[in-house]
Amino acid sequence: MTLITTPSRDDAAVDDFHRLFDAVAACGAAARGGVERQSASAADGEARRTFAAALEAAGATVRTDAVGNQYGVFALADRPDAPLVMLGSHLDSQPRGGRFDGALGVVAAAAVGAALMRAKRAGARFDADFCAVNWTNEEGARFRPSLLGSGFFTGKHDAAFALSRADDAGVTLGEALDAIGQRGADAPPPLPACYLELHIEQGLHLESAGADIGVVRRNWGAIKVDVRFQGEQAHTGPCPMPLRRDALLAAAYLIAEARAIAERWPGVVHTSVGRILVAPNSANVVPSEVALSLEIRSADDAVLAEAGALGARAIAEAAERANVTVTADRSERPIRQLPTDVCDLVAACAGALGLSHRDLDTVAGHDAISLLGLCPTGLIFVPSVGGVAHNEGEFTAPADLENGLRLCLEAAWRLCRAGGSPERATLAGGPA
Amino acid sequence: MTLITTPSRDDAAVDDFHRLFDAVAACGAAARGGVERQSASAADGEARRTFAAALEAAGATVRTDAVGNQYGVFALADRPDAPLVMLGSHLDSQPRGGRFDGALGVVAAAAVGAALMRAKRAGARFDADFCAVNWTNEEGARFRPSLLGSGFFTGKHDAAFALSRADDAGVTLGEALDAIGQRGADAPPPLPACYLELHIEQGLHLESAGADIGVVRRNWGAIKVDVRFQGEQAHTGPCPMPLRRDALLAAAYLIAEARAIAERWPGVVHTSVGRILVAPNSANVVPSEVALSLEIRSADDAVLAEAGALGARAIAEAAERANVTVTADRSERPIRQLPTDVCDLVAACAGALGLSHRDLDTVAGHDAISLLGLCPTGLIFVPSVGGVAHNEGEFTAPADLENGLRLCLEAAWRLCRAGGSPERATLAGGPA
């Protein structure tokens, strides 16, 4: 009988990981250590081809669906109806974003798939197949909404909706995917028996606590409001101040008030306006149109509701003070718990590997949140230095990356041998 | 002896005017009655060719200088050293601007030149030549600063500076002029003996007073500050509020405070922020960079100085509250009187034509302000309905346009017969 090594101690997986991580980070590499790799850009196309080539070299079958999600399926179980264990994240970045956000989870998934395939070839037996996934347009920077690819996978959005999202230059996601040869025609795989995502924390809790691994137990709720103020163009010189209908002034009142709302609940409510479009945006013209995105986030249902009501009042008052009209299109992401059985599996794997772990919230949205409630879903964080995120200065130490990789290897190994069941995988322990 | 008709009663001039005005308004015509004809755009090129063709058909020699200013010189005096009387304005528009702003003065100048040339051919004698001018990039919308072409003519800017100004897409004025074949090599004419500009009021005073003609006696001072806030990109979700360095929040504080400054001196101080650039401008990223243009205008020196000091304090406080750094680049246009002799000439001509007139300030900058102090300069307003400006809804009734045209004809006729001297022209009265 062949000796089956524990994949979580597979040094080849660590080498695979670093090699692919560096190759992906080179796609859209920016001057200060980050990446400029917005969804379906040329740099994203390059990263996607690098990912697909690594998957194929490792023995996976690569499928690309109608919205460009890439699935690398490793046939481990040798039966057509085997359940699927899925691991992944996204390769797209924010403008001048970090090289770890998203890419970590995708690259780790490819390395895990390759290690499991090596184990199979060495004689290991599996009761589930494995899929490494790259979701399209997680960031919502170039195309809105965010989580678009994972939202298509779960049926929240249909392909026509996703493909028709347009960037600020009017290019649709469909056109952009065509331009980089990444609009596919393959059927997506079925919902997995278990989905895991490895991500950098983008916050300070792990670093402050000196912990290796974050087990995400809850996601913050978010209220997102697309606000449009409509005023009237006028000359900034002669037009009397009381007659002005200044849409940018309304936006300024709202942005200042949104900050004040967060300050009412320190540490409990986060608010932001990250994006604003102004027309005609000429120095001598009173702005007539402003569109902006207001976000209010909290982990407390009652507080989020109250902050949301204050936000709605702030929008109306800003419009009234600036004598403009307003429309507000509100969407909400509820506060939810992640399933205990998956969290327990992650904690058990961390313990088995001697890694310290800590329960965390996620404030940011992640593709895992798209799948939450539809299948057993887990989200695993590793530390980010200084909590820096959406910034080229984002950094996670190699040892922390490797801890995350080994944890995923351990969890995926157990899951794929346990038919995808988190409960059985938690009990299973190490290699056969 | 040939009968010489009074040009101000030249019906052909009125016909010329309307025909050319409509042809120019068709260049870049927008959906709601205005024009989209920013400087050196394709539509501007079309308007420039329409203007040049009308000048040539009327017997002028057209020169285009290094920055694209167009001069139509009518040789009326038949001697090489004759003084020059100049009338003009600009053909470029704001984004979705009105069809009267600027175009009125340029089209009127062409019609006046044609009428004077007809008078010369009918036997009238002149002691000055006449020039109809279209100044490049008055608006400062596509390229900054505003008044760029007239500033080149007066020596405030050199050609290299003007041609290197870039729009938001990085296209320079030089490249844009080349693209429409409007970068010239002709020497500009010398400073005129007298410069006049006809413009719509862009305010409510004439309409409120029921007056036909505004004689501009004074221009408001303006402080313009290019402000740049520099913060730090961060994730709008997990990044703790106290750690954020949000450049857009700083801008919001400043925009709100700029309005409060104007409200301290109702009717005496106008403030505005019409233009703002935000980076990276992504919904999930705390903005790290904002550039904006702050304007503070007043006709009172002491008030302007005090409002300017408050503005400087508001900039610093906004940066401090939002925990960002700031740079501010300030320029100033002083409060100045327009020369009495030119104002008296305009008033005398209005009186001779039976037009009611009223002394006014100009709050907006105009090309005439570039020439102010360098040669006798006059600025003439006709009413704008509702004071609407920098807006497609801008409107001036045909009768008011014709009043302005006839006034310019009368003034230019007198000036060109009086060697360009406003004093002698004021005394001269009607036709020979």
Side-chain angles (χ1 to χ4, degrees):
Chain A
M1 187 184 162
T2 316
L3 179 74
I4 301 168
T5 59
T6 308
S8 59
R9 288 171 203 138
D10 180 344
D11 287 337
V14 174
D15 292 346
D16 279 357
F17 170 82
H18 285 300
R19 197 165 41 243
L20 183 57
F21 187 85
D22 291 347
V24 165
C27 303
R32 292 179 294 149
V35 289
E36 180 70 50
R37 193 170 65 220
Q38 292 189 56
S39 190
S41 62
D44 186 32
E46 207 186 319
R48 288 161 164 274
R49 287 187 295 276
T50 302
F51 174 57
L55 292 170
E56 282 167 357
T61 305
V62 178
R63 298 190 211 164
T64 304
D65 72 17
V67 306
N69 293 321
Q70 294 179 290
Y71 310 93
V73 180
F74 292 87
L76 302 177
D78 292 321
R79 57 183 173 96
D81 59 344
L84 193 68
V85 172
M86 189 181 272
L87 186 65
S89 193
H90 60 94
L91 290 174
D92 70 319
S93 85
Q94 288 286 343
R96 302 185 299 201
R99 67 186 191 276
F100 300 88
D101 182 348
L104 168 59
V106 175
V107 170
V112 165
L116 297 180
M117 190 57 108
R118 271 195 300 276
K120 173 185 157 77
R121 285 170 182 160
R125 301 279 299 274
F126 291 100
D127 201 28
D129 292 333
F130 179 80
C131 174
V133 61
N134 166 36
W135 303 112
T136 295
N137 193 54
E138 188 267 357
E139 292 290 0
R142 181 174 178 191
F143 304 101
R144 275 155 301 280
S146 57
L147 312 183
L148 193 57
S150 52
F152 166 75
F153 177 75
T154 61
K156 180 176 181 186
H157 309 304
D158 64 24
F161 172 83
L163 294 170
S164 66
R165 298 307 89 200
D167 67 13
D168 288 342
V171 178
T172 64
L173 174 62
E175 292 163 348
L177 286 171
D178 282 338
I180 58 169
Q182 290 286 326
R183 191 210 292 227
D186 298 325
L191 268 179
C194 186
Y195 175 80
L196 292 180
E197 181 163 353
L198 174 65
H199 206 281
I200 57 166
E201 183 196 349
Q202 307 180 300
L204 291 156
H205 294 98
L206 292 178
E207 187 177 67
S208 305
D212 299 319
I213 296 293
V215 181
V216 177
R217 296 271 176 184
R218 181 173 64 169
N219 83 299
W220 280 33
I223 293 170
K224 301 198 177 192
V225 195
D226 287 333
V227 181
R228 289 178 177 273
F229 293 112
Q230 176 76 51
E232 181 77 19
Q233 283 191 210
H235 196 303
T236 55
C239 183
M241 300 301 294
L243 297 187
R244 298 187 184 196
R245 302 182 57 227
D246 186 337
L248 181 57
L249 180 65
Y253 289 146
L254 175 58
I255 293 166
E257 186 56 27
R259 177 67 174 219
I261 291 171
E263 285 167 357
R264 287 174 66 134
W265 291 279
V268 176
V269 171
H270 288 184
T271 62
S272 59
V273 175
R275 174 178 159 83
I276 183 169
L277 299 178
V278 180
N281 213 28
S282 179
N284 296 319
V285 184
V286 175
S288 57
E289 291 167 38
V290 169
L292 61 81
S293 311
L294 169 67
E295 290 184 2
I296 304 173
R297 306 187 196 227
S298 179
D300 182 308
D301 271 312
V303 169
L304 184 61
E306 194 179 340
L310 287 178
R313 200 163 79 194
I315 292 167
E317 286 179 352
E320 194 184 337
R321 284 179 71 189
N323 193 25
V324 302
T325 60
V326 66
T327 60
D329 184 11
R330 173 179 164 137
S331 62
E332 201 152 346
R333 188 160 70 208
I335 298 162
R336 286 190 297 184
Q337 303 295 321
L338 277 83
T340 306
D341 53 357
V342 185
C343 292
D344 290 348
L345 167 64
V346 174
C349 291
L353 296 172
L355 300 173
S356 60
H357 60 90
R358 194 185 149 94
D359 291 343
L360 290 181
D361 289 348
T362 177
V363 185
H366 292 290
D367 290 306
I369 306 304
S370 288
L371 280 78
L372 188 59
L374 301 174
C375 63
T377 297
L379 181 58
I380 305 157
F381 283 169
V382 288
S384 344
V385 173
V388 172
H390 287 185
N391 183 306
E392 287 198 58
E394 187 185 279
F395 185 72
T396 291
D400 287 318
L401 300 175
E402 292 169 20
N403 286 341
L405 170 67
R406 289 187 195 276
L407 182 68
C408 289
L409 264 171
E410 179 70 23
W413 163 263
R414 293 188 186 194
L415 282 165
C416 288
R417 290 170 61 81
S421 159
E423 284 188 14
R424 284 170 49 212
T426 303
L427 300 173
Chain B
M1 188 183 162
T2 317
L3 179 72
I4 299 169
T5 60
T6 307
S8 60
R9 289 172 203 138
D10 179 345
D11 287 337
V14 174
D15 292 346
D16 280 356
F17 170 83
H18 285 299
R19 196 164 42 242
L20 183 56
F21 188 86
D22 291 346
V24 165
C27 303
R32 291 178 295 147
V35 288
E36 179 71 50
R37 194 170 63 220
Q38 292 187 57
S39 189
S41 63
D44 186 33
E46 207 185 320
R48 288 162 164 273
R49 288 188 294 277
T50 302
F51 174 56
L55 292 170
E56 281 168 356
T61 304
V62 178
R63 299 189 212 165
T64 304
D65 72 16
V67 306
N69 293 321
Q70 295 180 290
Y71 310 93
V73 180
F74 292 86
L76 302 177
D78 291 323
R79 60 183 172 96
D81 58 345
L84 194 67
V85 171
M86 190 181 272
L87 187 65
S89 193
H90 60 95
L91 291 175
D92 70 318
S93 84
Q94 287 286 341
R96 301 184 298 200
R99 67 186 191 276
F100 301 88
D101 181 349
L104 168 58
V106 175
V107 170
V112 165
L116 296 180
M117 190 56 109
R118 272 195 298 277
K120 172 184 158 75
R121 285 172 179 157
R125 302 279 297 276
F126 292 100
D127 201 26
D129 291 333
F130 179 81
C131 174
V133 61
N134 165 36
W135 304 111
T136 294
N137 193 54
E138 189 266 357
E139 293 289 2
R142 181 174 177 191
F143 304 101
R144 275 154 302 280
S146 57
L147 312 183
L148 193 58
S150 52
F152 165 75
F153 177 74
T154 62
K156 181 177 181 185
H157 309 303
D158 63 23
F161 172 83
L163 294 169
S164 65
R165 298 306 88 202
D167 66 13
D168 288 342
V171 178
T172 64
L173 174 62
E175 291 163 349
L177 287 171
D178 282 338
I180 59 169
Q182 291 287 325
R183 191 210 293 228
D186 298 325
L191 269 178
C194 187
Y195 175 80
L196 292 178
E197 182 163 352
L198 174 67
H199 206 280
I200 57 166
E201 183 196 350
Q202 307 180 298
L204 292 156
H205 295 97
L206 292 177
E207 188 177 68
S208 304
D212 298 320
I213 296 292
V215 182
V216 177
R217 297 271 176 182
R218 182 173 63 168
N219 84 297
W220 281 33
I223 294 171
K224 301 197 177 191
V225 194
D226 288 333
V227 181
R228 289 178 178 273
F229 293 111
Q230 175 77 51
E232 179 78 19
Q233 283 190 209
H235 196 304
T236 56
C239 183
M241 299 303 293
L243 297 188
R244 299 188 183 194
R245 301 183 56 226
D246 185 338
L248 181 57
L249 179 65
Y253 289 147
L254 174 58
I255 293 166
E257 186 57 27
R259 177 67 175 220
I261 291 171
E263 285 167 357
R264 286 175 66 135
W265 290 278
V268 177
V269 171
H270 288 183
T271 61
S272 59
V273 174
R275 174 178 159 82
I276 183 169
L277 300 178
V278 180
N281 213 27
S282 178
N284 295 318
V285 184
V286 174
S288 56
E289 292 167 38
V290 169
L292 60 82
S293 312
L294 169 68
E295 290 184 2
I296 304 172
R297 306 187 197 228
S298 180
D300 183 307
D301 271 311
V303 169
L304 184 61
E306 194 178 340
L310 287 178
R313 200 162 80 195
I315 292 167
E317 286 179 351
E320 194 184 336
R321 283 180 72 189
N323 193 24
V324 302
T325 59
V326 66
T327 60
D329 184 10
R330 173 178 164 140
S331 62
E332 201 152 342
R333 188 160 70 210
I335 298 162
R336 285 189 298 184
Q337 303 295 321
L338 277 83
T340 306
D341 53 357
V342 186
C343 292
D344 290 349
L345 168 64
V346 174
C349 291
L353 296 172
L355 300 173
S356 61
H357 61 91
R358 192 186 151 93
D359 292 342
L360 290 181
D361 290 346
T362 177
V363 185
H366 292 289
D367 290 308
I369 305 304
S370 288
L371 280 79
L372 187 57
L374 300 174
C375 64
T377 298
L379 181 58
I380 304 158
F381 283 169
V382 289
S384 344
V385 173
V388 172
H390 287 183
N391 183 306
E392 287 198 59
E394 189 185 277
F395 185 71
T396 291
D400 287 318
L401 299 175
E402 292 169 19
N403 287 340
L405 170 68
R406 290 188 195 276
L407 183 67
C408 289
L409 264 170
E410 180 70 24
W413 163 262
R414 294 188 186 193
L415 281 166
C416 288
R417 289 171 61 82
S421 158
E423 284 188 13
R424 285 169 48 209
T426 304
L427 299 173

